[in-house]
Structures are given as structure tokens and as C-alpha cells.
Amino acid sequence: MGPSLARAQISPVRPRDPVEDHVNQPENDDGLFDHCPWLYAEQASERRRAAQEQRRKRLLEGAGSVRLGENCFVAETAAVYPDVLHLGDRSYIAAHAYVTGDVRTGADCTINPFTVVRGTVTLGDGVRIGAHSSLLAFNHGTSPDLPVHQQPVTSRGITIGDDVWIGSHVVVVDGVTISDHCVIGAGAVVTKDLPAWTVAAGNPARRIRDRREARGAAQRAEASGGVAPGGAASGSEAPHPAQEGSALVGELSAFATAARTQAADLLDRCRQPGTGRYVDRPGAEPTVRAHCDAVEIADLLLGKAPPHLPAAEHAARLRALQDPVTGLVPEYGAAPPVPGPAGLPEDGASAYHVLCVGYALDLLGSSFAHPVHTVRTTTADRLVRHLAELPWRDRAWHAGSWVDSWATAAHWNLRLGTEAAAPGALEALFGWLHTHADPWTGMWGSPTPESGRLQMVNGYYRLTRGSFAQFGLPVPYAERVIDTVLDHARDPRHFAPGRENACNVLDVIHPLWLCARQTSHRAEEARSWAANQLTAALRRWHPGRGFPFGPRPDGTGPGREPGLQGTEMWLAIVWLLADLVGLADVLGYRPRGIHRPEPALPAEGTA
């Protein structure tokens, strides 16, 4: 455990809480210390100390790997059957607690009466867990083809930081990280990660405020006739509790309102009245991607299809573009794409159309008319050979984007009820990726002298978006990925003022957001970077025209002119940035297409 505020502030003999002192203490009650272990250090008799020493000895000689720090206490009535139990100094497990699995605590941690801690659970220093709470670091599958008791058990683990207070009757589910200095209200059900200093409550738990804020500031402002933090006037609807006191809330709210108000005009300026097709920006040629970007933007800001046509007509036009032989989608006026050796072209619009057309159709309530046949027939051997031949060393973005397109095609095939690819190919993909990730960087590929980590990080985003994120699988070496990405984000060649573009910022925030689902490693640095980028991103909005993509060093792409591609990407970036700092709810939208935060929905019966 690293050094912490909690460690510095908690003395070897814990200061007694007046509430804890107010208990009846019959001298001969052997259950007193089991239920009130905070009294043990100062009040236990020699007889009771000898009994506790025997309890410790039995645990140390038991089947599991057990380490007990100084001045620990484990209640005689606690059911403690660990594979691994490491209790830090001055920590205790109280009466009728149920502890199994791999449980490790820092110093000054308390597992109070009737608490359940199971699975792989790590506590920092100074963690207080209230009575009747449950930390359940495992889960059962829910596939409809097996009874629940026969489902496989999975476990991602629970991590609790330093100086955390978890109230009574709280449930924390598998995969959650609660960062340093958090307070969780009684009865909460914590289903997602919580950033440092969060005060949270409810089912599911939601952020109420930052613990560093003065409690009741909003109520005091209202009582005095002023304006509460977040801009809500006295007598109006109060701001969402998670946003009280945040300087970003007003900007986010104003941006979201303006974007929704201007969305129809933004789409109008990029539609050709004669053909009904969409262009990225006035003066550009119509593209398939522009139509898909329009669908994504309309879904985000309007909650419906672009208003020029009914959703069914949008879907019909996009479905008609698919080549029935290959299952690929060419650009307007182009010949059907020529498949590559493992099913997809090496480059070009048709590879990205697997993503953008597929997700646009999904948003419209439709789907591809045909499977992506060129991927459906790809064998594991062909796929593995091609993966090895991709240019990971010097063109990792190209390699990662190919994996993204291939995995997404496999996903659409599953959604249509066909095979993803030839038997074993999808498994071979993930096997190859796991065995070829660099444990030092967590990535595939290498830095280059010309662009540093740009190719590697940008390729990582594309690769993991279509594979691990889309299929709901944890990424390997998440902490090393965060280190690599944060180092890259300091490169002035790509992130100096005026040099950021949508691609480069997206390819940093998505890996940070994705890995934060698995670890709290350098969480404060990631949140600080996200907050700074969020402020800058909101200022790039052009009224009635949307976001520009931003400059590229080679001068290609949509550049500084606002258009559909830049708008679609920056809307997703803004949501990811806001979510990492705990303010996404202010926006009133959530990506459901290419940049959706949840894993894509599987086909019926494939879960």
C-alpha cells in the first residue's frame, strides 16, 4: 500500500469514538470484544488476550496464506476461511463477519459485525466497513441456456483505496474500484467505479458531492436567496448533486443546450437537397461516412434519426449500399471492395464502413442485410498469419484499425445469427492479442522517432475499441497502459495548444476511461488531464456548425473547418472526458453508436 493521508492521521492507538464508547460493558461477557473490537486494545483482560492469541494461532496454522499485523483482532465468531488473508496493523474482523477468498487490507481497517467480504478484495489504509455490508468480488453468468447454479463464476476483484468509509448495509459488486477518501452512504449499491473524494449514496450509488466541499453549501445559498452552486436559482430545480461546486457544470450545461438547439441546422448545412446525401462540410463530396455521422449526431442530440427522412428510409439507403457477395460497403460510386488475405481490405473506406454503417443501422433499429462474408469465412490460421504480418512496428494505427474492423465484422455476424468467422478464429484473435501485448507498455507496436508513441497509442484505441471493449473483456496490463498513455499525452508534438485534433484526444481519453474500469492507478492524474481537455474541447464548438476535427500534421482530413466527422467525434470525446471526471450526467446524452461505453449487445443466445 502506498503512503496515504489516512496512514499519517491514524495513530497507533485509535482515538475512541464517543458513540463507540457508549456501550454496556459487563465484565464477564465474552462476546463484548467480538462485537465491539475497538474496545479490545484498551480493555481486554489477560484471559481474553490469551484467547485472542489462540485465535490468531489457529488462523496462521490454517490452510490459507495468512499474515496478521500488529494489534489485529479477529472475532471468535467470525467465519474466516481465506485462501489469502493479509491484515494490516490495528485492523479487525468483528463478530459473524464472513470472509473468504483473497482479502488484503492496509493498516487501521475494520470489517464490522455481519459484514461479508468474498473474492479478491484489496483495501487500502484506514478503510471502515459498516455492519451488514457485502463486498462480493465474483459473479455468476446469466446465459439462458444453463441453470444459474451451473453458470461459470467470474471474478474481476474489488479495490478500495485509502481513507474510505463504507456505511452499513452497503453492497459493492465485482469489478468496482472505490478510490481514496470516499464516503459511501448506508444502503448504497455500488456498481461502478468512484473517483477520489466522492460522497455517494443510493441504488445504484451516485455521486452526491465532493467530500472536500462544505456540506450544505447549496442549501445555505438557497436560504439566503442566492444561487446554488451549478447555477440553480432559489426555488428552481436543484442541480444534480454530483455537480455541486464544479466549475465545469455551467459550461457543460450551456454547451449541451446549445448543441441540441443547433443540431437540426448543423445537419441541414451538410445535406445535399438534390441527392439527399450528406457531406462532411459544405463544398466536400458526399460520403457514406458523412451519412453515418449524421445518424450518430442526431441520435446524440435529438434522440431520433436525422429529420430529413424517416428512420426506415435512412436505414433502407444504408442497407442498399452493402455488397451481397462480400458483405462489405464501398464508397459511393466505387467498385465492390477486394477482400484482403484475412477477409478485409488493408485500407480504405470500406474497412471503416464496417463500423460506421453497422452502428448507424443499429441506431436506426436495423442491421446489415447480409453477413460480412469475407470475415465469416476467415479461418484461425489465416487470421493469425495476417496478424503477424501487420505493420505493428512502424504503423501500429494501421494494424490496430484493421483489428477493429475485423472484430466488428465478427460482431455484426453474430448479431445476424451466423458464425462470427470460421470455428476458432475469434478465439484465436484474442489469444494472439493477449500473447503479443507488450507487458512494459500494455500495447501492441513500438514508438517511432518521427511521432513518438502516437502510432502505438492511436492503434491501441482502435484495436481495443473493436475487440476488448466491444466484447466486454478486460484489457491486459491496464496499469502499464495508463502509464504509456499519460506519458504520450505530454508530447508537445501532438498536445501543445493548437495541435490537438479529435483523433489524438479520443485515442488518449478512451484508453484512460477503459482502463479506469479495471484499476485506480494514477486516477487523479487522468482526471486532471480529462478536466483540462474538457474545458478546451467545449471552446471548440462553432455555433450552428459544430466541431472541427482539428489540425493534422500532414494537412489531410477535414482539418479546422467544422463538419460532421469532427462533431460526431468530439461529442463522444466530451462525454468520455466528462464521465471520467464524474460530470457526464450534465450533458443529457450518452453515446450509443461507435463510441458507446457499454459492450455491444450480443446476438440472442450468444451471451
Side-chain angles (χ1 to χ4, degrees):
M1 302 295 169
S4 72
L5 177 64
R7 176 178 295 163
Q9 291 181 340
I10 297 177
S11 59
V13 177
R14 185 169 65 89
R16 284 158 51 177
D17 188 319
V19 175
E20 293 177 344
D21 276 347
H22 191 69
V23 294
N24 292 320
Q25 302 174 24
E27 288 186 13
N28 298 318
D29 184 356
D30 288 336
L32 172 64
F33 300 121
D34 274 15
H35 290 83
C36 308
W38 56 88
L39 301 175
Y40 173 84
E42 295 184 18
Q43 300 183 21
S45 66
E46 289 304 317
R47 179 177 68 84
R48 286 170 180 156
R49 291 183 191 278
Q52 177 60 200
E53 188 59 34
Q54 289 299 312
R55 172 65 160 142
R56 291 167 58 96
K57 184 178 179 180
R58 290 196 302 275
L59 283 171
L60 292 169
E61 293 174 349
S65 171
V66 176
R67 292 210 308 256
L68 303 176
E70 295 183 4
N71 300 316
C72 287
F73 179 91
V74 180
E76 191 68 41
T77 54
V80 181
Y81 305 112
D83 298 317
V84 176
L85 175 64
H86 294 174
L87 278 186
D89 297 345
R90 301 174 302 280
S91 296
Y92 63 70
I93 300 175
H96 306 291
Y98 179 27
V99 178
T100 69
D102 185 333
V103 179
R104 304 166 194 248
T105 85
D108 302 291
C109 291
T110 64
I111 299 174
N112 274 297
F114 300 96
T115 292
V116 176
V117 181
R118 303 190 64 199
T120 300
V121 179
T122 302
L123 310 183
D125 293 331
V127 177
R128 325 301 272 182
I129 304 175
H132 298 276
S133 290
S134 296
L135 277 62
L136 304 174
F138 62 92
N139 209 342
H140 291 279
T142 57
S143 175
D145 56 353
L146 280 177
V148 170
H149 74 276
Q150 295 179 9
Q151 297 281 348
V153 175
T154 61
S155 177
R156 296 169 56 194
I158 292 171
T159 302
I160 313 294
D162 297 329
D163 182 35
V164 173
W165 178 17
I166 296 174
S168 297
H169 294 277
V170 168
V171 176
V172 182
V173 303
D174 186 36
V176 164
T177 293
I178 299 176
S179 298
D180 298 346
H181 316 299
C182 288
V183 175
I184 314 300
V189 179
V190 186
T191 60
K192 61 185 291 187
D193 295 353
L194 296 175
W197 298 105
T198 296
V199 177
N203 179 7
R206 298 182 67 86
R207 181 171 171 153
I208 294 173
R209 62 182 176 91
D210 189 299
R211 181 177 155 192
R212 293 165 291 188
E213 298 170 13
R215 179 178 290 184
Q219 289 88 339
R220 289 194 296 273
E222 183 174 348
S224 63
V227 176
S234 175
S236 68
E237 182 178 351
H240 187 287
Q243 297 109 31
E244 290 182 14
S246 171
L248 280 171
V249 170
E251 291 183 65
L252 281 168
S253 179
F255 159 74
T257 299
R260 279 190 288 271
T261 302
Q262 299 163 22
D265 291 340
L266 184 157
L267 295 170
D268 281 342
R269 73 187 285 268
C270 293
R271 182 174 181 269
Q272 289 185 333
T275 64
R277 292 177 174 176
Y278 290 86
V279 299
D280 180 70
R281 56 205 180 277
E285 291 297 316
T287 63
V288 174
R289 176 172 183 162
H291 192 167
C292 299
D293 287 338
V295 171
E296 294 251 11
I297 293 166
D299 184 79
L300 285 167
L301 299 180
L302 302 176
K304 61 182 182 180
H308 312 105
L309 295 170
E313 181 60 28
H314 281 288
R317 292 189 179 200
L318 290 172
R319 281 167 61 91
L321 299 174
Q322 188 182 24
D323 173 36
V325 176
T326 62
L328 299 172
V329 177
E331 188 54 88
Y332 291 134
V338 177
L344 287 179
E346 291 300 300
D347 250 328
S350 61
Y352 191 75
H353 291 168
V354 173
L355 280 66
C356 67
V357 176
Y359 272 105
L361 287 169
D362 195 50
L363 291 173
L364 294 166
S366 185
S367 65
F368 278 123
H370 312 281
V372 183
H373 295 295
T374 57
V375 167
R376 189 172 61 84
T377 56
T378 301
T379 65
D381 287 345
R382 284 168 52 203
L383 177 61
V384 168
R385 281 198 302 271
H386 189 68
L387 289 169
E389 293 168 356
L390 289 170
W392 297 103
R393 182 172 296 276
D394 56 353
R395 296 175 63 209
W397 180 88
H398 168 92
S401 66
W402 189 92
V403 172
D404 185 5
S405 296
W406 193 95
T408 302
H411 162 69
W412 295 131
N413 288 347
L414 289 173
R415 288 285 297 272
L416 284 174
T418 68
E419 301 86 356
L426 190 58
E427 292 82 359
L429 170 68
F430 286 102
W432 192 95
L433 293 176
H434 272 287
T435 55
H436 287 77
D438 183 346
W440 293 102
T441 65
M443 298 194 173
W444 300 265
S446 306
T448 65
E450 299 78 19
S451 60
R453 298 175 179 84
L454 181 69
Q455 283 279 329
M456 185 169 65
V457 172
N458 289 13
Y460 179 90
Y461 158 67
R462 285 295 305 272
L463 183 153
T464 55
R465 190 222 70 84
S467 55
F468 294 93
Q470 185 163 235
F471 284 85
L473 300 174
V475 297
Y477 311 117
E479 293 188 353
R480 301 292 74 78
V481 171
I482 291 171
D483 292 338
T484 302
V485 169
L486 287 175
D487 286 348
H488 168 62
R490 291 195 293 265
D491 190 333
R493 288 173 291 183
H494 314 299
F495 294 96
R499 293 192 177 185
E500 296 103 333
N501 62 44
C503 185
N504 293 350
V505 177
L506 174 63
D507 297 356
V508 168
I509 184 54
H510 189 274
L512 290 178
W513 183 93
L514 183 64
C515 291
R517 314 274 72 75
Q518 296 177 221
T519 176
S520 59
H521 180 62
R522 298 178 71 177
E524 288 303 311
E525 291 177 68
R527 291 181 66 221
S528 176
W529 184 88
N532 290 333
Q533 286 290 332
L534 184 55
T535 299
L538 297 178
R539 294 169 185 166
R540 296 188 176 102
W541 178 262
H542 291 241
R545 298 191 294 158
F547 283 113
F549 177 90
R552 276 182 171 164
D554 60 4
T556 63
R560 300 178 187 273
E561 174 66 23
L564 296 182
Q565 181 181 343
T567 301
E568 183 273 326
M569 292 181 71
W570 279 110
L571 286 173
I573 292 166
V574 165
W575 188 91
L576 289 165
L577 293 167
D579 195 58
L580 197 62
V581 300
L583 295 173
D585 287 352
V586 178
L587 292 168
Y589 68 77
R590 184 181 184 89
R592 299 195 307 128
I594 287 178
H595 306 296
R596 60 180 296 147
E598 298 84 10
L601 297 174
E604 191 71 29
T606 63

